[in-house]
Coordinates of all heavy atoms in Angstrom, one line a residue:
M1490 N 46.4 21.3 32.9 CA 45.5 20.7 32.0 C 46.2 20.3 30.6 O 45.6 19.5 29.8 CB 44.3 21.6 31.5 CG 43.3 21.8 32.6 SD 41.9 22.8 32.1 CE 42.7 24.3 32.5
T1491 N 47.3 20.8 30.3 CA 48.0 20.5 29.2 C 48.9 19.3 29.2 O 49.4 18.8 28.2 CB 48.8 21.7 28.7 OG1 49.8 22.0 29.8 CG2 47.9 22.8 28.5
E1492 N 49.1 18.7 30.4 CA 50.1 17.7 30.6 C 49.9 16.5 29.7 O 50.9 16.0 29.0 CB 50.3 17.2 32.1 CG 50.9 18.3 33.0 CD 49.9 19.3 33.5 OE1 48.7 19.3 33.1 OE2 50.2 20.3 34.2
L1493 N 48.7 15.9 29.7 CA 48.5 14.8 28.8 C 48.8 15.1 27.3 O 49.2 14.3 26.6 CB 47.1 14.4 28.9 CG 46.7 13.7 30.3 CD1 45.2 13.4 30.3 CD2 47.5 12.5 30.5
L1494 N 48.4 16.5 26.9 CA 48.8 16.8 25.5 C 50.2 16.8 25.2 O 50.6 16.4 24.2 CB 48.0 18.1 25.2 CG 46.5 18.0 25.3 CD1 45.8 19.4 25.3 CD2 45.9 17.1 24.1
W1495 N 51.0 17.4 26.2 CA 52.4 17.4 26.1 C 52.9 16.0 26.0 O 53.8 15.7 25.1 CB 53.1 18.1 27.2 CG 53.0 19.5 27.4 CD1 52.2 20.3 28.2 CD2 53.7 20.5 26.7 NE1 52.3 21.6 28.1 CE2 53.4 21.8 27.0 CE3 54.7 20.3 25.5 CZ2 53.8 23.0 26.4 CZ3 55.2 21.6 25.1 CH2 54.8 22.8 25.5
M1496 N 52.4 15.1 26.7 CA 52.9 13.7 26.8 C 52.7 13.1 25.4 O 53.4 12.1 25.0 CB 52.3 12.9 27.9 CG 52.8 13.4 29.2 SD 51.9 12.7 30.7 CE 52.1 11.0 30.4
T1497 N 51.6 13.4 24.6 CA 51.2 12.8 23.5 C 52.0 13.3 22.2 O 52.1 12.8 21.2 CB 49.7 12.9 23.0 OG1 49.4 14.3 22.9 CG2 48.8 12.3 24.1
G1498 N 52.8 14.4 22.6 CA 53.5 15.0 21.5 C 52.8 16.1 20.7 O 53.3 16.5 19.7
C1499 N 51.8 16.6 21.2 CA 50.9 17.7 20.5 C 51.9 18.9 20.3 O 52.7 19.2 21.4 CB 49.7 18.0 21.1 SG 48.5 16.8 21.0
E1500 N 51.7 19.7 19.2 CA 52.4 20.8 19.1 C 51.8 22.0 19.8 O 50.6 22.0 19.9 CB 52.7 21.2 17.6 CG 53.6 20.2 16.9 CD 53.6 20.6 15.4 OE1 53.5 21.9 15.1 OE2 53.7 19.7 14.7
F1501 N 52.6 22.9 20.5 CA 52.1 24.0 21.2 C 52.7 25.3 20.7 O 53.6 25.4 20.0 CB 52.6 23.9 22.8 CG 51.6 23.0 23.5 CD1 51.8 21.5 23.4 CD2 50.7 23.4 24.4 CE1 51.1 20.7 24.2 CE2 49.9 22.5 25.1 CZ 50.0 21.1 25.0
D1502 N 51.8 26.4 21.1 CA 52.4 27.7 20.8 C 52.3 28.6 22.0 O 51.3 28.2 22.8 CB 51.7 28.4 19.7 CG 52.3 29.6 19.0 OD1 53.6 29.9 19.5 OD2 51.8 30.2 18.2
F1503 N 53.1 29.5 22.2 CA 53.0 30.4 23.5 C 52.1 31.5 23.1 O 52.6 32.3 22.3 CB 54.3 30.7 24.0 CG 54.3 31.5 25.3 CD1 54.0 30.8 26.5 CD2 54.4 32.9 25.3 CE1 53.9 31.6 27.6 CE2 54.3 33.6 26.5 CZ 53.9 33.0 27.6
I1504 N 51.1 31.8 23.6 CA 50.2 32.8 23.3 C 49.7 33.5 24.7 O 48.8 33.0 25.4 CB 48.9 32.4 22.6 CG1 49.2 31.6 21.3 CG2 48.0 33.7 22.2 CD1 48.1 31.1 20.5
P1505 N 50.3 34.6 25.0 CA 50.1 35.2 26.4 C 48.6 35.6 26.5 O 48.1 35.5 27.7 CB 51.1 36.4 26.5 CG 52.1 36.1 25.4 CD 51.6 35.2 24.3
A1506 N 48.0 36.0 25.5 CA 46.5 36.4 25.6 C 45.7 35.2 26.0 O 44.6 35.5 26.6 CB 46.1 37.1 24.3
F1507 N 46.1 34.1 25.7 CA 45.3 32.8 26.0 C 45.8 32.1 27.3 O 45.5 31.0 27.5 CB 45.3 31.9 24.7 CG 44.4 32.3 23.6 CD1 44.7 31.7 22.5 CD2 43.4 33.2 23.9 CE1 43.8 32.2 21.3 CE2 42.6 33.6 22.8 CZ 42.9 33.1 21.5
G1508 N 46.8 32.9 28.0 CA 47.2 32.2 29.2 C 48.5 31.5 29.1 O 48.9 30.7 30.2
G1509 N 49.2 31.4 28.1 CA 50.5 30.8 28.0 C 50.4 29.7 26.8 O 50.1 29.9 25.7
H1510 N 51.0 28.6 27.2 CA 51.1 27.6 26.1 C 49.7 26.9 25.8 O 49.0 26.5 26.7 CB 52.0 26.4 26.6 CG 53.5 26.9 26.5 ND1 54.1 27.3 27.7 CD2 54.4 26.9 25.5 CE1 55.4 27.7 27.3 NE2 55.6 27.5 26.1
V1511 N 49.4 26.9 24.6 CA 48.0 26.3 24.1 C 48.5 25.3 23.0 O 49.3 25.6 22.1 CB 47.1 27.4 23.7 CG1 46.6 28.2 24.8 CG2 47.6 28.2 22.6
P1512 N 47.7 24.2 22.9 CA 47.8 23.3 21.8 C 47.4 23.8 20.5 O 46.3 24.4 20.4 CB 47.1 22.1 22.3 CG 46.0 22.7 23.1 CD 46.6 23.8 23.7
L1513 N 48.2 23.6 19.4 CA 47.8 24.1 18.1 C 46.7 23.1 17.7 O 46.7 21.9 18.0 CB 48.9 23.9 17.1 CG 50.1 24.8 17.5 CD1 51.2 24.6 16.4 CD2 49.7 26.3 17.5
H1514 N 45.6 23.6 17.0 CA 44.6 22.8 16.6 C 44.0 23.6 15.3 O 44.1 24.7 15.1 CB 43.5 22.7 17.7 CG 42.9 24.0 18.1 ND1 43.5 24.8 19.1 CD2 41.8 24.6 17.8 CE1 42.9 25.9 19.3 NE2 41.7 25.8 18.5
D1515 N 43.2 22.6 14.5 CA 42.6 23.3 13.3 C 41.2 23.7 13.6 O 40.7 23.7 14.8 CB 42.7 22.2 12.2 CG 41.9 21.0 12.5 OD1 41.2 20.9 13.5 OD2 42.2 19.9 11.8
E1516 N 40.5 24.0 12.5 CA 39.1 24.4 12.7 C 38.1 23.5 13.2 O 37.0 23.7 13.6 CB 38.5 25.1 11.3 CG 38.5 24.1 10.2 CD 39.7 23.6 9.5 OE1 40.8 24.2 9.7 OE2 39.6 22.7 8.6
N1517 N 38.6 22.2 13.3 CA 37.7 21.1 13.7 C 38.1 20.8 15.2 O 37.6 19.8 15.7 CB 37.8 19.9 12.8 CG 37.3 20.1 11.5 OD1 36.2 20.7 11.4 ND2 37.9 19.6 10.4
M1518 N 39.1 21.6 15.7 CA 39.5 21.4 17.2 C 40.5 20.2 17.2 O 40.9 19.8 18.4 CB 38.4 21.3 18.2 CG 37.4 22.4 18.1 SD 38.1 24.0 18.2 CE 38.7 24.2 19.8
E1519 N 41.0 19.6 16.1 CA 41.9 18.5 16.1 C 43.4 19.1 16.2 O 43.8 20.0 15.6 CB 41.8 17.7 14.9 CG 42.7 16.4 14.9 CD 42.4 15.5 13.7 OE1 41.9 16.0 12.7 OE2 42.7 14.3 14.0
T1520 N 44.1 18.4 17.2 CA 45.5 19.0 17.4 C 46.5 18.5 16.3 O 46.0 17.8 15.4 CB 46.0 18.4 18.8 OG1 46.1 17.0 18.6 CG2 45.1 18.8 19.9
S1521 N 47.7 18.7 16.4 CA 48.7 18.3 15.5 C 48.8 16.7 15.5 O 49.5 16.1 14.6 CB 50.0 18.9 15.8 OG 50.6 18.7 17.0
K1522 N 48.2 16.1 16.5 CA 48.3 14.6 16.5 C 46.8 14.1 16.1 O 45.9 14.4 16.8 CB 48.5 14.1 18.0 CG 50.0 14.4 18.5 CD 50.9 13.3 17.7 CE 52.3 13.5 18.2 NZ 53.1 12.6 17.5
E1523 N 46.9 13.4 15.1 CA 45.6 12.9 14.5 C 44.8 12.2 15.6 O 45.3 11.4 16.3 CB 45.8 12.0 13.3 CG 44.7 11.5 12.5 CD 44.9 10.6 11.5 OE1 46.1 10.7 10.9 OE2 44.0 10.1 10.9
G1524 N 43.5 12.6 15.7 CA 42.5 11.9 16.5 C 42.5 12.4 17.9 O 41.7 11.9 18.7
I1525 N 43.3 13.5 18.2 CA 43.2 14.2 19.5 C 42.5 15.5 19.3 O 43.2 16.3 18.6 CB 44.7 14.2 20.2 CG1 45.2 12.9 20.4 CG2 44.5 15.0 21.5 CD1 46.5 12.7 21.1
Y1526 N 41.5 15.8 20.0 CA 40.8 16.9 19.9 C 40.8 17.7 21.2 O 40.9 17.1 22.3 CB 39.3 16.6 19.5 CG 39.2 16.0 18.2 CD1 39.5 14.7 18.0 CD2 38.9 16.8 17.1 CE1 39.3 14.1 16.7 CE2 38.8 16.3 15.8 CZ 39.0 15.0 15.6 OH 38.9 14.4 14.4
V1527 N 40.7 19.0 21.1 CA 40.7 19.8 22.4 C 39.6 20.8 22.4 O 38.9 21.1 21.3 CB 42.0 20.7 22.5 CG1 43.1 19.6 22.8 CG2 42.3 21.5 21.2
A1528 N 39.2 21.3 23.5 CA 38.2 22.4 23.7 C 38.3 23.0 25.1 O 38.8 22.4 26.0 CB 36.8 21.8 23.5
G1529 N 37.7 24.2 25.1 CA 37.6 24.9 26.5 C 38.9 25.4 27.0 O 39.7 26.0 26.3
D1530 N 39.1 25.3 28.4 CA 40.2 25.9 29.0 C 41.5 25.6 28.4 O 42.4 26.5 28.4 CB 40.2 25.5 30.5 CG 39.1 26.1 31.3 OD1 38.3 27.0 30.7 OD2 38.9 25.8 32.4
V1531 N 41.8 24.5 28.1 CA 43.1 24.0 27.5 C 43.5 24.8 26.2 O 44.6 24.9 25.9 CB 43.3 22.5 27.3 CG1 42.4 22.1 26.0 CG2 44.6 22.1 27.2
T1532 N 42.4 25.3 25.5 CA 42.6 26.1 24.2 C 42.8 27.6 24.6 O 43.0 28.3 23.7 CB 41.6 26.0 23.2 OG1 40.4 26.4 23.8 CG2 41.4 24.5 22.8
G1533 N 42.5 27.9 25.8 CA 42.7 29.4 26.3 C 41.3 30.0 26.3 O 41.2 31.1 26.6
V1534 N 40.2 29.3 26.0 CA 38.9 29.8 26.1 C 38.3 29.5 27.4 O 38.1 28.2 27.8 CB 38.0 29.2 25.0 CG1 36.6 29.7 25.2 CG2 38.5 29.7 23.7
E1535 N 38.2 30.4 28.3 CA 37.7 30.2 29.6 C 36.2 30.6 29.8 O 35.6 30.5 30.9 CB 38.5 30.9 30.6 CG 39.9 30.3 30.7 CD 40.9 31.0 31.7 OE1 40.5 31.9 32.2 OE2 42.0 30.6 31.7
E1536 N 35.6 31.1 28.8 CA 34.2 31.6 29.0 C 33.3 30.4 28.6 O 33.5 29.6 27.7 CB 33.9 32.8 28.0 CG 32.7 33.5 28.1 CD 31.5 32.8 27.5 OE1 31.5 32.3 26.4 OE2 30.4 32.8 28.1
A1537 N 32.4 30.1 29.5 CA 31.6 28.8 29.4 C 30.9 28.5 28.2 O 31.1 27.4 27.6 CB 30.7 28.7 30.7
S1538 N 30.2 29.5 27.7 CA 29.3 29.2 26.4 C 30.3 28.9 25.3 O 29.8 28.0 24.5 CB 28.3 30.3 26.2 OG 29.0 31.5 25.9
S1539 N 31.3 29.7 25.2 CA 32.3 29.4 24.1 C 33.0 28.0 24.2 O 33.1 27.2 23.3 CB 33.4 30.5 24.0 OG 32.8 31.7 23.7
A1540 N 33.3 27.6 25.4 CA 33.9 26.3 25.6 C 33.0 25.2 25.3 O 33.3 24.2 24.7 CB 34.2 26.3 27.1
M1541 N 31.7 25.5 25.6 CA 30.7 24.5 25.3 C 30.4 24.3 23.8 O 30.4 23.1 23.3 CB 29.3 24.8 25.9 CG 29.4 24.6 27.5 SD 27.8 24.9 28.4 CE 26.8 25.7 27.3
E1542 N 30.5 25.3 23.0 CA 30.4 25.3 21.6 C 31.7 24.4 21.0 O 31.5 23.7 20.1 CB 30.4 26.7 21.0 CG 29.0 27.4 21.1 CD 27.9 26.5 20.6 OE1 28.0 25.9 19.5 OE2 26.8 26.4 21.2
E1543 N 32.8 24.8 21.6 CA 34.1 24.1 21.1 C 34.0 22.7 21.4 O 34.4 21.9 20.6 CB 35.2 24.8 21.9 CG 35.9 26.0 21.3 CD 37.2 26.2 21.9 OE1 37.6 25.8 23.0 OE2 37.8 27.2 21.4
G1544 N 33.5 22.4 22.6 CA 33.3 20.9 23.0 C 32.4 20.2 21.9 O 32.6 19.1 21.6
N1545 N 31.3 20.9 21.6 CA 30.3 20.3 20.7 C 31.0 20.1 19.4 O 30.9 18.9 18.8 CB 29.1 21.2 20.6 CG 27.9 20.6 19.7 OD1 27.6 19.6 19.9 ND2 27.6 21.3 18.6
L1546 N 31.7 21.1 18.9 CA 32.4 20.9 17.6 C 33.5 19.8 17.7 O 33.5 18.9 16.8 CB 33.1 22.2 17.3 CG 33.9 22.2 16.0 CD1 33.0 21.9 14.8 CD2 34.6 23.6 15.8
A1547 N 34.2 19.8 18.7 CA 35.2 18.8 18.8 C 34.6 17.4 18.9 O 35.0 16.4 18.3 CB 36.1 19.0 20.0
G1548 N 33.5 17.3 19.5 CA 32.7 16.0 19.8 C 32.2 15.4 18.4 O 32.3 14.2 18.1
V1549 N 31.6 16.5 17.7 CA 31.0 16.0 16.5 C 32.2 15.7 15.5 O 32.0 14.6 14.7 CB 30.3 17.2 15.8 CG1 29.9 17.0 14.3 CG2 28.9 17.4 16.5
C1550 N 33.1 16.4 15.4 CA 34.4 16.1 14.5 C 35.0 14.7 14.9 O 35.4 14.0 14.0 CB 35.3 17.2 14.5 SG 34.7 18.6 13.7
A1551 N 35.2 14.4 16.2 CA 35.7 13.2 16.6 C 34.8 12.0 16.3 O 35.3 11.1 15.7 CB 36.0 13.3 18.1
A1552 N 33.5 12.2 16.5 CA 32.6 11.1 16.0 C 32.6 10.9 14.6 O 32.5 9.8 14.1 CB 31.2 11.5 16.5
H1553 N 32.7 12.0 13.7 CA 32.8 11.8 12.3 C 34.1 11.1 11.9 O 34.0 10.1 11.1 CB 32.7 13.2 11.6 CG 32.9 13.1 10.2 ND1 34.0 13.4 9.5 CD2 31.9 12.9 9.2 CE1 33.8 13.2 8.3 NE2 32.6 13.0 8.0
S1554 N 35.1 11.4 12.6 CA 36.5 10.8 12.1 C 36.5 9.4 12.5 O 37.2 8.6 11.8 CB 37.6 11.5 12.7 OG 37.7 11.2 14.2
L1555 N 35.6 8.9 13.5 CA 35.6 7.5 13.8 C 34.5 6.8 13.2 O 34.3 5.6 13.3 CB 35.3 7.5 15.4 CG 36.4 7.9 16.3 CD1 36.0 8.1 17.7 CD2 37.5 7.0 16.3
G1556 N 33.8 7.5 12.3 CA 32.8 6.8 11.5 C 31.4 6.7 12.0 O 30.6 6.2 11.5
Y1557 N 31.2 7.5 13.1 CA 29.8 7.4 13.9 C 28.9 8.5 13.2 O 27.8 8.4 13.4 CB 30.0 7.6 15.3 CG 30.7 6.5 16.1 CD1 32.0 6.7 16.5 CD2 30.1 5.3 16.2 CE1 32.7 5.7 17.2 CE2 30.7 4.3 16.8 CZ 31.9 4.5 17.3 OH 32.6 3.4 18.0
L1558 N 29.4 9.3 12.4 CA 28.5 10.4 11.8 C 28.8 10.4 10.3 O 30.1 10.3 9.9 CB 28.7 11.8 12.3 CG 28.3 12.0 13.8 CD1 28.7 13.4 14.3 CD2 26.8 11.8 13.9
T1559 N 27.8 10.5 9.4 CA 28.1 10.8 8.0 C 28.5 12.1 7.8 O 28.4 13.1 8.7 CB 26.8 10.4 7.2 OG1 25.9 11.4 7.5 CG2 26.4 9.0 7.5
D1560 N 28.9 12.5 6.6 CA 29.3 13.9 6.2 C 27.9 14.8 6.4 O 28.1 15.8 6.9 CB 29.8 13.9 4.7 CG 31.0 13.4 4.6 OD1 31.8 13.2 5.6 OD2 31.5 13.0 3.4
D1561 N 26.8 14.3 6.0 CA 25.6 15.0 6.1 C 25.3 15.2 7.6 O 24.9 16.4 7.9 CB 24.4 14.3 5.4 CG 24.5 14.3 3.9 OD1 25.3 15.2 3.4 OD2 23.9 13.5 3.2
E1562 N 25.4 14.3 8.4 CA 25.2 14.4 9.9 C 26.2 15.4 10.5 O 25.7 16.3 11.5 CB 25.2 13.0 10.6 CG 24.1 12.2 10.1 CD 24.2 10.8 10.7 OE1 25.4 10.3 10.8 OE2 23.3 10.2 11.1
K1563 N 27.3 15.3 10.2 CA 28.4 16.3 10.7 C 27.9 17.8 10.3 O 28.1 18.7 11.0 CB 29.7 15.9 10.1 CG 30.8 16.9 10.5 CD 32.1 16.6 9.9 CE 33.2 17.7 10.3 NZ 34.3 17.6 9.5
A1564 N 27.4 17.9 9.1 CA 27.2 19.4 8.5 C 26.0 19.9 9.2 O 25.8 21.2 9.3 CB 26.9 19.2 7.1
K1565 N 25.2 19.1 9.9 CA 24.0 19.7 10.6 C 24.2 20.5 11.8 O 24.8 20.6 12.5 CB 23.0 18.5 10.8 CG 22.3 18.0 9.6 CD 21.4 16.9 10.0 CE 20.8 16.4 8.8 NZ 19.8 15.4 9.0

């Protein structure tokens, strides 16, 4: 699952507890490459409900960065 992220040049860290190499990301799930967001298994989170929350957060943050959501809409 990480191959595309490696190809884009995202930075990774080796975290054995998360299953190996995981892409570095901030609190908004954005990687070291601006505009690329991650969630779920690729971040080392394999539990479904947590992965869904990460996906929601990543989607909202990506939509905000593209101008589809205002600051107020993002905060909701």
Side-chain angles (χ1 to χ4, degrees):
M1490 286 182 275
T1491 60
E1492 288 84 4
L1493 290 175
L1494 297 169
W1495 284 106
M1496 291 170 60
T1497 63
C1499 291
E1500 293 180 31
F1501 280 75
D1502 197 6
F1503 185 76
I1504 305 174
F1507 287 159
H1510 289 93
V1511 294
L1513 298 178
H1514 60 279
D1515 63 15
E1516 66 277 359
N1517 295 319
M1518 307 307 292
E1519 188 172 23
T1520 67
S1521 58
K1522 290 292 186 176
E1523 185 177 345
I1525 298 178
Y1526 296 81
V1527 292
D1530 289 355
V1531 76
T1532 66
V1534 174
E1535 296 179 358
E1536 197 276 321
S1538 62
S1539 296
M1541 290 183 344
E1542 288 299 320
E1543 279 187 350
N1545 183 55
L1546 175 61
V1549 166
C1550 292
H1553 178 260
S1554 74
L1555 293 170
Y1557 291 109
L1558 294 177
T1559 65
D1560 290 340
D1561 289 339
E1562 291 170 324
K1563 179 185 174 192
K1565 290 181 182 182

